[in-house]
Amino acid sequence: ASFTISLRTVDNITVMIKLGSRVSPSCQIRVKNVIKSELKIKPGENMTFTFTCSTPEKYFVMEIQKNIDCVSGPCPFGDVHLYPPGLPRLNRTFTWDVKASTKAGLELKFSTPWLRQIEPGEMCPDFVSYNINSCIDMATVNIGTFCRNGSVSRVKLLGGVIMSLHLPWDSSLTTSGFNIANRASIKRLCIIESILTGESSITLMSPNYPLGFPEDELMTWQFVIPSNMRASVFFHNYSLSNCERKEERVEYYLPGSLSNPEVFKLSDSQPANIAGSFNLSLQGCDQDAQNPGILRLLFQVVVQHPQIDENVTHLVDLSKEWNMTVTIHFEGWPRRIPLMSEPICLICKDPRTCDRVLTLASGTIYKISFLCKDLSRLRITAEKGISCVDLRWCQRKIYSLSVPKAITQLPIRLHKFIWKLLAPDPINIEITSPSLKLQQHVPEQRCNTTYSYSIVSATPETELNVGLFCPGGSIEKIQMRNNITISLKTFGKGFLNESNHQDLKMSFVPHIKDECIFTVSPDPKAKVYLQTPNWPYGLPPYVSISWYVIVPRKQVAHLGFSKNRMGITCETGRAYVNIKEETLGAEETVRREDEFLPEPRSMYHDFWVNVSNCKPVDKTQLTLQFWVTFADKQIDLGVILAVVAGAGVLVTIGLTVCCVKKKKKKSQNPMVGVYNANVNTQVPGKQGLFTKGRKNNESHVYAVIDDAVVYGHLLKESNGSVTPEVDVYRPFDGPIGSLPPSPPPFSFRKDIKSSPNTEEPPPLTDTDHDTYTFAHQKSGQLEDNGDTNEKNNGDTNMSLLENKEQDGLVE
């Protein structure tokens, strides 16, 4: 098809057809059998041409430029038309270059649906865009690029303007969508007017964005908003130039303000909750010629209906807190940036200071309010620091790791509370949960509570993820070296109900040898799974971790590992698993990384499990998991029979003793009380049983006095020259202590051997303090009496029961 373009001289229009970004040798322009790659038609010319291909829109673009001189003659104000008609369907750009005096102003008024400013490089959905440039003297300033369907209704400019409309080849648009009007001087670079009739959000940029705003210039944005709506301004991206004179700032004319214009720095929180229309102006400064810098601004204006509870304030009392910050923010902050089109939630610390993110510091009382239809879209993240420099000052102090009520009483869901615990090298940190205890989150034992704790131990060189824990487990205490970060994270809305039962506490303790020590006190009815930190990435090299497991009385623990080998190969050093019961003489079980782990075993006392890592070769990591269960101790049948047999022996001995006593009474053979000076009859540790000293009581006086024949051997030694005193007790005149002698402890008796499977004997009762050692006089053994006394005096390990047994055998 052929095309004919006729241009009148009076229209001052030039048409240029040229190649675009793509080139094809088979697609050219033919004018009177002359092949050309571009074609220029000037005012007053008439040109007929054709294309040598059927799809010229793929290779050619068209530029139509109209020059309008408003300096030397009158301006053709009014609607701007797309002229000339009958143009080929190519991607085309209409440009209107209007020259005007700086003493006058030009106004570009757009028909509905108005315009929306976009960032450089952004494309319009329908590929129809407008570009506005202001011309002052010889300088050109890019006011911005706009798409259709927005809120920008008018742009007022000082001096000339270059207006461009870009249309795709298939666009059906037949009108320019704007008109030009003459206005008085606006005394600033430009004025951009936006009309916001309902709930909406718009983004606007300073001229030349992202390049610099002209030096020492002033521009204004006018926002037309119904008085029953509320507007808020947010600066999302800005930079400042280096000023020699004046100061870069923004000025607001706000409805109802008694101090207009209100001046703000670009770094300040901008006004919010504005009722009705307002103006915002950007003022530049005189820049440093050597290092001017860049002044630029991208901001957002959000218009909302007034909230029902906008006058409801919430008291946040952080006056008694220290080293803590509380941030109220939108969901997903700070990783996710909300879209400009998303409904906005604002947090206000006063009627005009509102933002999407508000940070509150400790030591202050705040009154905050919310401009938000759905508070469930807001979250709270808090952080608190606890440090210790001198262990003498902070060792005895216990810190509560619970969320303050000032946070839990807010109608906002807590997302995370972080405690950063800092301590120098010789000081370590202990975490305890006395009542709830902690459960380690493992695949076989998952946490299903409304919150959990993530514990990380960190140094400048390494970081050890101790694990994920939740309340309701068996871990009473965790001791760790280095600085610790504990993060409480909530799940669902149930945390508010459970927040009153938090019992996590921490304290600073002296140095520990392991990287981490767990104290575990399991429920006897539960099966407990425990695993090494840094799961599943493995323990760092040369790290040692210990678990101390408490075994309840009358229970036996069963310990087993989830795999039979450690699964690593050491490059340097050795990796070990050590198991040892906390009892005297217990054997220690040790396994290296190249050995099988111990088979499941029974533990009758509290025990330790230690895992020490080497430096593994590449692609091997030390990860271990073990389990502990409990069962009641089972009494062996042999033990029961032995106890019954022992009881029978005791009964037999008792009957024998009774028979002996009766026999001796019948024979009137008096008993002799032989004092054994080597025997201590006082029970160890029970000094308060004798209320009187031995000098003041009769504990050393014997109740039975022997007859005269006991002393008969003295007559033999004296050859009958001395007459013995018969039946006369001669008191002891030697030194007497304040406590009576006590018998040897049970553990030192020769005939008593304790079994490792039996419980310890019960402590001696208060009636054991009168235990004495007796011997009976035998007829026919008067001449051996001295030897017998020697033997008894020398053997202090012989009990009363043993002496009676021997007496019975002698008789």
Side-chain angles (χ1 to χ4, degrees):
S2 63
F3 301 93
T4 300
I5 298 178
S6 297
L7 300 178
R8 298 179 303 177
T9 304
V10 68
D11 292 330
N12 202 12
I13 294 176
T14 301
V15 176
M16 171 75 83
I17 301 175
K18 58 183 181 179
L19 289 170
S21 58
R22 297 174 62 182
V23 177
S24 175
S26 61
C27 194
Q28 300 288 330
I29 302 173
R30 178 184 289 115
V31 181
K32 295 180 180 180
N33 296 322
V34 177
I35 302 299
K36 296 183 177 183
S37 60
E38 64 178 31
L39 180 64
K40 183 175 183 180
I41 306 172
K42 298 178 181 179
E45 292 182 351
N46 186 359
M47 189 77 65
T48 300
F49 60 92
T50 61
F51 293 100
T52 61
C53 63
S54 60
T55 56
E57 66 274 7
K58 293 181 180 180
Y59 310 105
F60 289 95
V61 296
M62 184 165 49
E63 297 177 354
I64 304 99
Q65 180 170 328
K66 179 177 177 64
N67 296 319
I68 302 174
D69 186 0
C70 294
V71 176
S72 57
C75 286
F77 297 124
D79 292 336
V80 176
H81 302 284
L82 299 181
Y83 187 83
L87 297 174
R89 293 172 63 85
L90 303 176
N91 294 333
R92 53 203 181 276
T93 301
F94 290 89
T95 301
W96 295 269
D97 186 351
V98 182
K99 292 180 172 57
S101 171
T102 56
K103 297 179 180 179
L106 290 177
E107 177 183 284
L108 304 178
K109 186 176 182 180
F110 300 95
S111 57
T112 54
W114 302 321
L115 303 183
R116 173 177 61 88
Q117 189 173 7
I118 60 174
E119 295 186 48
E122 187 178 348
M123 298 295 294
C124 296
D126 59 358
F127 301 103
V128 176
S129 63
Y130 294 84
N131 186 263
I132 304 174
N133 289 273
S134 175
C135 300
I136 302 176
D137 298 328
M138 299 300 294
T140 301
V141 178
N142 180 18
I143 301 300
T145 302
F146 302 82
C147 300
R148 296 193 298 172
N149 297 318
S151 63
V152 176
S153 58
R154 286 190 296 180
V155 176
K156 302 174 185 179
L157 303 129
L158 182 65
V161 61
I162 299 176
M163 177 71 178
S164 299
L165 170 61
H166 303 277
L167 298 176
W169 68 272
D170 57 349
S171 174
S172 58
L173 194 65
T174 57
T175 60
S176 66
F178 71 96
N179 62 47
I180 300 177
N182 189 13
R183 288 291 180 267
S185 175
I186 57 175
K187 298 181 181 179
R188 60 198 67 204
L189 175 64
C190 65
I191 299 174
I192 299 177
E193 180 187 84
S194 290
I195 300 176
L196 302 165
T197 56
E199 286 197 339
S200 56
S201 172
I202 63 169
T203 301
L204 296 166
M205 286 145 274
S206 58
N208 280 345
Y209 187 89
L211 302 178
F213 185 69
E215 180 179 6
D216 196 24
E217 277 290 354
L218 171 68
M219 72 157 294
T220 299
W221 290 272
Q222 293 179 338
F223 299 97
V224 180
I225 300 171
S227 59
N228 63 339
M229 303 296 288
R230 300 291 181 266
S232 301
V233 180
F234 304 98
F235 287 3
H236 292 294
N237 189 14
Y238 68 88
S239 62
L240 302 175
S241 57
N242 299 314
C243 297
E244 282 190 346
R245 293 186 301 117
K246 300 181 183 178
E247 184 180 11
E248 295 166 336
R249 63 190 186 275
V250 288
E251 299 178 352
Y252 290 87
Y253 280 85
L254 302 173
S257 174
L258 301 177
S259 57
N260 282 327
E262 295 190 14
V263 180
F264 291 79
K265 295 180 180 180
L266 275 72
S267 58
D268 293 337
S269 293
Q270 303 303 310
N273 203 24
I274 304 169
S277 302
F278 68 97
N279 292 354
L280 165 61
S281 298
L282 175 64
Q283 174 66 65
C285 67
D286 291 334
Q287 298 174 350
D288 184 349
Q290 301 298 324
N291 184 22
I294 293 177
L295 171 62
R296 61 184 172 190
L297 172 64
L298 181 148
F299 66 99
Q300 180 187 18
V301 177
V302 178
V303 178
Q304 299 171 287
H305 287 289
Q307 304 303 311
I308 297 175
D309 56 349
E310 66 175 329
N311 295 323
V312 177
T313 59
H314 301 269
L315 185 69
V316 183
D317 186 358
L318 303 179
S319 59
K320 296 181 180 179
E321 301 291 340
W322 56 278
N323 201 15
M324 185 174 80
T325 59
V326 178
T327 302
I328 306 174
H329 55 86
F330 53 87
E331 189 175 8
W333 175 89
R335 295 184 303 275
R336 188 184 73 87
I337 299 175
L339 300 175
M340 298 294 184
S341 58
E342 287 186 27
I344 193 167
C345 277
L346 301 179
I347 309 103
C348 307
K349 59 181 178 181
D350 60 59
R352 285 281 175 82
T353 307
C354 304
D355 208 336
R356 286 188 170 188
V357 178
L358 178 64
T359 299
L360 311 176
S362 56
T364 309
I365 300 176
Y366 297 91
K367 292 183 178 180
I368 65 173
S369 59
F370 301 99
L371 293 177
C372 183
K373 284 185 176 180
D374 185 8
L375 292 179
S376 65
R377 297 173 54 239
L378 293 178
R379 296 290 184 270
I380 296 176
T381 297
E383 183 175 307
K384 183 179 179 68
I386 302 175
S387 60
C388 177
V389 177
D390 188 350
L391 188 60
R392 293 173 299 177
W393 179 83
C394 52
Q395 183 176 6
R396 298 180 181 178
K397 191 171 183 180
I398 298 177
Y399 301 85
S400 175
L401 302 184
S402 59
V403 180
K405 289 187 177 180
I407 296 177
T408 58
Q409 69 184 4
L410 289 173
I412 307 299
R413 175 179 157 187
L414 175 67
H415 171 62
K416 188 180 290 186
F417 198 107
I418 302 170
W419 291 273
K420 292 192 173 181
L421 314 178
L422 308 178
D425 287 340
I427 304 176
N428 296 148
I429 293 170
E430 179 178 284
I431 308 297
T432 60
S433 180
S435 58
L436 295 179
K437 301 182 187 178
L438 296 177
Q439 172 189 317
Q440 188 173 15
H441 179 82
V442 298
E444 293 80 4
Q445 190 174 266
R446 296 180 179 275
C447 291
N448 57 3
T449 54
T450 60
Y451 65 98
S452 66
Y453 298 100
S454 172
I455 303 178
V456 177
S457 172
T459 64
E461 296 82 17
T462 60
E463 183 176 278
L464 179 68
N465 184 5
V466 179
L468 190 67
F469 303 86
C470 57
S474 58
I475 300 174
E476 284 186 349
K477 180 169 59 179
I478 306 176
Q479 293 176 309
M480 291 163 285
R481 297 194 301 192
N482 310 320
N483 297 329
I484 308 298
T485 299
I486 301 178
S487 300
L488 182 152
K489 188 174 182 181
T490 63
F491 308 96
K493 301 178 181 179
F495 174 73
L496 293 177
N497 299 326
E498 297 185 8
S499 61
N500 296 327
H501 306 293
Q502 301 172 78
D503 75 332
L504 198 66
K505 304 183 186 312
M506 68 80 56
S507 57
F508 295 98
V509 296
H511 184 75
I512 60 175
K513 66 174 184 177
D514 292 324
E515 195 74 26
C516 185
I517 300 176
F518 297 84
T519 299
V520 186
S521 178
D523 184 343
K525 298 180 181 179
K527 185 174 185 179
V528 178
Y529 290 90
L530 299 166
Q531 66 186 20
T532 51
N534 237 38
W535 189 280
Y537 306 107
L539 282 178
Y542 309 118
V543 166
S544 177
I545 307 293
S546 292
W547 292 264
Y548 180 64
V549 182
I550 299 173
V551 179
R553 294 190 62 185
K554 300 181 181 180
Q555 295 275 321
V556 57
H558 299 288
L559 167 68
F561 290 86
S562 298
K563 57 183 181 180
N564 57 7
R565 284 184 178 270
M566 295 190 206
I568 63 168
T569 302
C570 290
E571 178 181 326
T572 307
R574 287 287 195 181
Y576 292 95
V577 171
N578 299 60
I579 304 171
K580 186 177 181 182
E581 285 188 283
E582 190 79 356
T583 185
L584 187 65
E587 294 185 0
E588 184 173 7
T589 301
V590 182
R591 294 290 188 274
R592 293 198 311 259
E593 81 282 352
D594 57 350
E595 298 175 326
F596 283 101
L597 291 172
E599 294 292 331
R601 58 181 54 208
S602 298
M603 314 296 285
Y604 294 89
H605 303 86
D606 300 349
F607 63 92
W608 287 90
V609 176
N610 174 267
V611 177
S612 301
N613 198 12
C614 60
K615 182 182 179 182
V617 299
D618 292 339
K619 297 182 180 179
T620 61
Q621 302 293 341
L622 177 55
T623 58
L624 277 183
Q625 184 188 88
F626 62 93
W627 49 262
V628 179
T629 60
F630 293 94
D632 294 333
K633 285 183 179 178
Q634 300 295 326
I635 301 177
D636 189 68
L637 182 60
V639 175
I640 296 175
L641 294 176
V643 171
V644 172
V649 171
L650 291 176
V651 171
T652 304
I653 293 173
L655 293 174
T656 303
V657 171
C658 291
C659 293
V660 170
K661 285 185 178 181
K662 289 182 179 179
K663 183 177 181 181
K664 286 186 178 291
K665 284 183 180 180
K666 291 179 180 180
S667 61
Q668 296 296 319
N669 189 9
M671 294 195 299
V672 180
V674 181
Y675 177 74
N676 188 347
N678 294 325
V679 178
N680 180 12
T681 61
Q682 173 62 31
V683 177
K686 299 189 178 182
Q687 300 180 3
L689 297 176
F690 285 85
T691 57
K692 297 181 180 180
R694 295 193 69 210
K695 296 180 182 181
N696 301 325
N697 65 23
E698 297 180 352
S699 62
H700 61 287
V701 179
Y702 295 97
V704 178
I705 305 300
D706 203 352
D707 51 15
V709 294
V710 176
Y711 307 98
H713 63 285
L714 297 177
L715 297 176
K716 296 178 182 180
E717 294 178 4
S718 60
N719 297 321
S721 61
V722 177
T723 302
E725 298 180 9
V726 181
D727 290 343
V728 176
Y729 171 71
R730 182 168 295 171
F732 178 68
D733 295 329
I736 298 175
S738 60
L739 293 174
S742 63
F746 280 87
S747 59
F748 290 100
R749 297 186 181 177
K750 291 182 179 180
D751 60 333
I752 297 179
K753 296 181 180 180
S754 58
S755 172
N757 294 330
T758 58
E759 297 184 4
E760 295 180 0
L764 296 177
T765 61
D766 293 346
T767 59
D768 293 338
H769 68 277
D770 288 333
T771 303
Y772 286 84
T773 302
F774 289 93
H776 297 278
Q777 181 64 42
K778 316 297 184 299
S779 59
Q781 295 182 353
L782 295 177
E783 66 278 3
D784 299 330
N785 192 55
D787 296 337
T788 304
N789 290 339
E790 250 179 53
K791 195 177 296 184
N792 288 341
N793 288 338
D795 187 4
T796 60
N797 294 327
M798 192 72 71
S799 67
L800 170 62
L801 183 58
E802 291 165 346
N803 284 332
K804 289 188 177 181
E805 287 178 0
Q806 291 187 6
D807 290 343
L809 293 174
V810 171
E811 292 180 350

